[in-house]
Amino acid sequence: LAHVITRWIVGGAQENTLLSSEGAGRTGRWNVTILSGRPRGKEGELRPPAPDARTRLEYIPFLSREVSPWRDALAFLALWASLRRLRPDVVHTHSAKGGILGRWAASLAGVPRIVHTVHGPFVYGTLGSPWRQLARLAERLTAPVTDAWVTVSRRLADDLVSMGIAPRSRVRVVYSGMRSGADRPATDVRARWASHLGLAEGARWIVVVGRHYRLKGQEFLIEALPAIRRIVPDAAVLLVGDGAYHGALRQRARSHGVEEAVRWCGRLAPEEVSDLLGACDLLVHASLREGVPRVLVQAQWAGLPAVAFDLDGAREARGPGCSLVPAGDVRALSHLVSRTLLKGTRGGEAPALAVRFGSIRMVEALLDLYEGGDLR
């Protein structure tokens, strides 16, 4: 089994790929290789596969997110050469660039089965119209060499079918699996972070987890924060992550007069994020582009109440402790965040989410797809 992904950064698609690769390797039935471009930028490098998982990571020269005809051509040749050497039974591609180049390279290398996962709405809504049309055209042209599509939400599956990219019979919804749980008591984590960030333990902590990128929505919470603090004066925002938009977010906090109430936690390992979620009072997820918000599920597993924008796969990741507001509505966001903080209650259990988004269930569904009959 070979996975192809554009960048090996700290991100939802990469964590999904890592967990599914390790899960397949640990069955003893599969040897797994992840083929990826090198991590670039401020997002950070995701950890390599576990040594006991029969999974290895290889970096592909020239494979990157940015469009560059000559670099993309060299990346394609490198992918093709790697797949000719590995001779996998299945190639499973991820991400827009990795998906297009990887599927064509796999087809020309004679790979028997080619699967592609759509992790987010890259072909609608967030790209400028010419680029969106080009992305749709590329997907339609690549459809003939794709045996099956996997989407991480029903919404994405419906979009693939409605846009004429994939027939319904060859699309499978497989929710993005993840791990849950923290190793240390939340009180210890809270005290440690309070000391590190200079926050009073009695303050109300609002946490946001995500790359600092213009579509991830941290700016909506910063804009809402003055109104929130008028009602909850000790509210503080903890921003986890880094990225190209970091400087703009700092400037926005200054311009709204809330710089002293915002703490910058930087990049954290997935297990550190899990610990921190259990120590906070509320998660806000205001991203404008997400297949299924993984952190929304993880927060609810930790008993943390959550407020999220009502778009993409948020409804499918919603448990009893999660409330949704219209996307981009800062006034509704500030009102609901304030009300949730004043209630001061935990989010409650979400057993259905634990089943739906468990990593074991994801791995089993993917292996069934790899090992099943012909989908064509």
Side-chain angles (χ1 to χ4, degrees):
L1 171 64
H3 284 272
V4 178
I5 192 163
T6 308
R7 299 184 297 165
W8 198 245
I9 61 169
V10 177
Q14 289 76 14
E15 292 176 16
N16 172 297
T17 302
L18 178 61
L19 287 176
S20 59
S21 298
E22 291 177 332
R26 287 192 175 111
T27 66
R29 304 197 303 273
W30 293 88
N31 291 309
V32 188
T33 302
I34 301 170
L35 304 174
S36 173
R38 289 191 176 275
R40 294 180 176 87
K42 296 183 177 182
E43 292 92 344
E45 182 176 5
L46 187 65
R47 70 171 177 86
D52 65 338
R54 293 180 63 175
T55 298
R56 49 199 289 270
L57 172 64
E58 290 186 14
Y59 286 120
I60 297 297
F62 305 106
L63 182 57
S64 63
R65 185 179 187 180
E66 297 74 20
V67 175
S68 171
W70 73 272
R71 288 180 64 88
D72 293 345
L74 292 173
F76 173 80
L77 291 175
L79 278 171
W80 174 80
S82 293
L83 294 175
R84 289 279 294 176
R85 169 175 51 85
L86 293 169
R87 301 184 64 83
D89 298 292
V90 177
V91 163
H92 189 158
T93 65
H94 310 260
S95 312
K97 175 80 74 69
I100 299 298
L101 297 182
R103 280 176 281 171
W104 280 109
S107 177
L108 292 179
V111 175
R113 171 158 291 195
I114 301 171
V115 177
H116 177 63
T117 287
V118 179
H119 293 273
F122 70 95
V123 292
Y124 65 86
T126 58
L127 297 175
S129 182
W131 287 108
R132 186 163 64 248
Q133 295 302 323
L134 182 61
R136 291 184 181 182
L137 176 61
E139 283 296 321
R140 291 191 181 105
L141 291 174
T142 310
V145 299
T146 310
D147 293 296
W149 287 261
V150 173
T151 67
V152 297
S153 73
R154 292 192 185 94
R155 163 70 187 272
L156 292 176
D158 292 342
D159 288 333
L160 275 181
V161 174
S162 66
M163 288 186 292
I165 293 173
R168 178 72 67 178
S169 61
R170 287 160 57 193
V171 179
R172 300 290 185 272
V173 177
V174 180
Y175 288 110
S176 189
M178 55 199 82
R179 297 189 181 102
S180 65
D183 296 328
R184 293 180 294 275
T187 52
D188 294 345
V189 177
R190 188 173 176 99
R192 178 165 51 86
W193 275 103
S195 174
H196 177 65
L197 297 173
L199 283 171
E201 287 193 54
R204 315 291 180 91
W205 295 8
I206 308 166
V207 64
V208 182
V209 180
R211 291 186 294 123
H212 293 179
Y213 182 66
R214 63 184 180 86
L215 294 172
K216 291 298 184 178
Q218 293 94 341
E219 65 270 24
F220 293 108
L221 180 58
I222 291 173
E223 187 176 342
L225 191 52
I228 294 169
R229 282 172 61 84
R230 283 195 290 271
I231 299 171
V232 187
D234 60 353
V237 170
L238 281 60
L239 293 181
V240 176
D242 201 349
Y245 208 44
H246 181 84
L249 291 174
R250 281 189 175 272
Q251 178 57 43
R252 191 173 290 255
R254 286 192 291 270
S255 66
H256 283 84
V258 293
E259 189 175 17
E260 80 287 351
V262 178
R263 298 295 188 272
W264 310 89
C265 300
R267 296 194 304 265
L268 299 179
E271 58 272 15
E272 294 178 300
V273 173
S274 179
D275 283 353
L276 182 58
L277 289 174
C280 291
D281 299 290
L282 175 69
L283 173 90
V284 169
H285 187 77
S287 176
L288 295 177
R289 177 185 176 182
E290 212 77 42
V292 165
R294 293 168 61 88
V295 72
L296 198 59
V297 177
Q298 292 168 320
Q300 293 173 91
W301 279 355
L304 187 65
V307 174
F309 280 167
D310 187 8
L311 46 67
D312 297 333
R315 287 179 179 245
E316 294 169 63
R318 181 187 186 185
C322 177
S323 302
L324 303 179
V325 298
D329 191 332
V330 173
R331 186 173 180 179
L333 180 66
S334 62
H335 173 74
L336 192 52
V337 167
S338 302
R339 191 176 70 184
T340 305
L341 288 176
L342 288 175
K343 285 171 60 179
T345 56
R346 301 299 288 172
E349 296 183 0
L353 292 181
V355 173
R356 186 182 306 162
F357 292 96
S359 60
I360 294 176
R361 181 169 181 169
M362 174 186 71
V363 171
E364 289 175 346
L366 291 176
L367 292 181
D368 182 65
L369 183 62
Y370 302 156
E371 298 168 358
D374 190 4
L375 288 169
R376 288 185 179 275

